[in-house]
Amino acid sequence: MRPCLSVANAALLTALAAMVAACQTPAPIGPNRAALPTMERVALGANACWFKSGDPAFAAYKLAPELNSFSGRPRILLVHKGSPESRPLLVVQAEGSPSRLQAFGPMMQEPVAGRITADVNRWSGGNKACS
């Protein structure tokens, strides 16, 4: 003999299932968009794709990450390889959550600016590919 579910029991089970489902938090979609994790992704991408790869467009420069920022704006700097104390030629920084990215400096007036923008946007979104 099979037990019968009454209409009231079925409604109660449906309501209980809906309550349990409402308590579940959805899995995050995509990477963390806060400033620090975004700039960590950008720094890793720049290091791998611009410097460790031996890319000639960046051979004269050195990466100077400044991710532990008390201003809430983690950033990376590109400086001349021979004089790291000189003014940065490129600053890429993020602020807020979701982060707002900025890239500025003399390199953003050069032909490589479009590539810098594309690379930074790709890496900030979680894609690790080089251009």
Side-chain angles (χ1 to χ4, degrees), residues 37-124:
T38 296
M39 285 310 301
E40 287 171 343
R41 288 189 299 275
V42 171
L44 290 171
N47 190 44
C49 296
W50 293 347
F51 297 99
K52 286 190 176 179
S53 71
D55 189 320
F58 297 92
Y61 309 108
K62 180 179 176 181
L63 180 67
E66 295 182 350
L67 300 177
N68 294 330
S69 168
F70 295 107
S71 69
R73 284 186 223 134
R75 63 188 188 165
I76 62 168
L77 311 173
L78 265 62
V79 295
H80 280 290
K81 193 181 262 184
S83 58
E85 71 285 344
S86 63
R87 283 191 144 184
L89 300 167
L90 174 67
V91 177
V92 180
Q93 67 184 20
E95 182 176 16
S97 183
S99 62
R100 293 172 305 283
L101 285 167
Q102 292 180 309
F104 54 91
M107 289 184 77
M108 294 307 289
Q109 306 306 316
E110 296 178 13
V112 74
R115 179 170 165 211
I116 291 169
T117 300
D119 287 346
V120 167
N121 286 333
R122 184 175 54 259
W123 298 327
S124 70

Side-chain angles (χ1 to χ4, degrees), residues 23-43:
C23 293
Q24 305 277 332
T25 57
I29 298 172
N32 186 334
R33 300 281 183 200
L36 180 58
T38 296
M39 285 310 301
E40 287 171 343
R41 288 189 299 275
V42 171

